[in-house]
Amino acid sequence: MYLLQPTLFSFEELLKFEPETRLQKVLSVLDLSPALTVVKKAVVGPKGHCVGNMISALVAKQLEQIPTVAALVKRLSEDLRCGFSLSASVPSESTFSRLIKKLTVTDEKNGTPSVLKEIFDNLVKNARAMGLIGSECIAIDSSKIDAYEKSRPKKDLKGDKTANWGAKRDTHGNQITWFGYKAHIAVDCQSELPIALMVTPANTHDAKLAIPLIELVNQSLADARKPKYYAMDMGYDSKEIYSEVMTKFKGQALIPINPRGSKDHPEGCDFDGTPICSMGQRMVYWGSDTKTGTNKYRCPHVMGKYDCPHGSAWCSQSSYGLVVKTKVEDDPRMNCLPARGTRNWQKLYNKRTAVERCFGRLKQHLGANSLRTRGLEKVTLHITLSCIALLAGSIAVAKLKNIKQVA
């Protein structure tokens, strides 16, 4: 059972405002100085237009779920000013296209538009400074993004910067396929806000993006406490991920065991790492020691979970019964801390639903899945703008609440 986690605020509160008020509050928390320095020499039309106002208009496009740039230009000339003077003309569609081409220059390390990445990172730092973003648990997942272009056979698809075919199972276990992309994000479970994002063709496996996303998370939270837990679904069940999270990032991966790899477990242990006694019964979990990184298990006969015909003396002469301790460092995949299957482990893992709600907001309120553009760079720009709008809107709501509390 998934339980909804209480949040500090709700992004939906922002949607209750009038469109003009909502847009004003979101744009007021944006720092567009990184974009102004990089795109200063961009072609902005014969009459000249403010690049900051144009980027604000692109954020407003996501917030108001305006489908195309042409529709955005029409709204700007009618009621959506975004800082443009009432007496002056608004940028044309071709002017926006030239600016978008400038903004789609990507960062080679993570594929995120470098200009917008800096704006995105600044918003994450501001949210962290305000106490909105915590550092205990991070949820990582991907979501399908349907392509705008016409689907093509796999044999005709070449390169890693175009839409491709993807397949995954939905929440009901049904296999679904789509032609398009994947949005991979890391979300803070406390605020349900994105901290890092990457966009790939739909055929990219989720597990390949786990470590790069965690690296981006640690870069974004460079001045803060590092996350302790990284919650992911069983699609990320890989020995490499467990090992990297523990050794490199000093954290713990919370991932259910994938049934396809459940047979690949150490001798003397069950599919989830629980030790098995000499009679083939699962031993009883009896606490963890965080200092030494060990889990303790006791004899199921002594604990009253199994009536052993040989009694506890079969395995141990002590009345306390046989005790087995497992160390996380010996096998990070099988030995979790807290132990997999315990109430504490499940409580932490349930926080993973924060990433599902984040995707829900991005798609339902910020048009993340309503593509009207082609190519990986432009799709990445589209998703990044949606995440910027979500972060800015959430910060605006938090600031408004603080003002009301002071008043």
Side-chain angles (χ1 to χ4, degrees), residues 198 250 274:
M198 300 180 73
K250 310 302 179 183
T274 302

Side-chain angles (χ1 to χ4, degrees), residues 118 151 282 319 322 339 371:
E118 192 169 351
S151 60
R282 288 167 60 92
S319 59
L322 177 67
L371 293 182

Side-chain angles (χ1 to χ4, degrees), residues 336-376:
C336 300
L337 194 70
R340 184 181 282 104
T342 62
R343 182 179 299 179
N344 289 335
W345 186 94
Q346 191 63 45
K347 184 178 179 180
L348 287 168
Y349 181 72
N350 284 346
K351 295 182 179 182
R352 194 196 66 85
T353 55
V355 69
E356 304 291 349
R357 292 191 288 277
C358 181
F359 274 126
R361 294 186 179 103
L362 290 173
K363 291 185 175 183
Q364 183 178 356
H365 302 303
L366 298 169
N369 199 34
S370 302
L371 293 182
R372 292 297 185 272
T373 186
R374 298 180 178 90
L376 181 62

Side-chain angles (χ1 to χ4, degrees), residues 94-120:
S94 59
T95 302
F96 270 109
S97 296
R98 287 191 289 270
L99 176 63
I100 289 173
K101 187 177 180 179
K102 276 279 188 179
L103 293 176
T104 52
V105 177
T106 58
D107 188 328
E108 295 181 356
K109 292 183 178 180
N110 51 57
T112 306
S114 56
V115 175
L116 295 185
K117 181 182 183 301
E118 192 169 351
I119 297 175
F120 175 87

Side-chain angles (χ1 to χ4, degrees), residues 311-335:
S312 62
W314 177 264
C315 302
S316 174
Q317 297 297 325
S318 172
S319 59
Y320 192 76
L322 177 67
V323 173
V324 174
K325 293 184 179 180
T326 60
K327 280 192 173 184
V328 176
E329 60 182 15
D330 293 340
D331 190 344
R333 178 173 179 258
M334 287 297 173
N335 305 326

Side-chain angles (χ1 to χ4, degrees), residues 68 74 81 110 234 256 266 272 310 336 344 353 367 401 403:
T68 62
K74 184 178 179 181
R81 301 308 299 181
N110 51 57
M234 64 176 61
D272 60 352
H310 301 286
C336 300
N344 289 335
T353 55
K401 282 193 170 185
I403 292 173

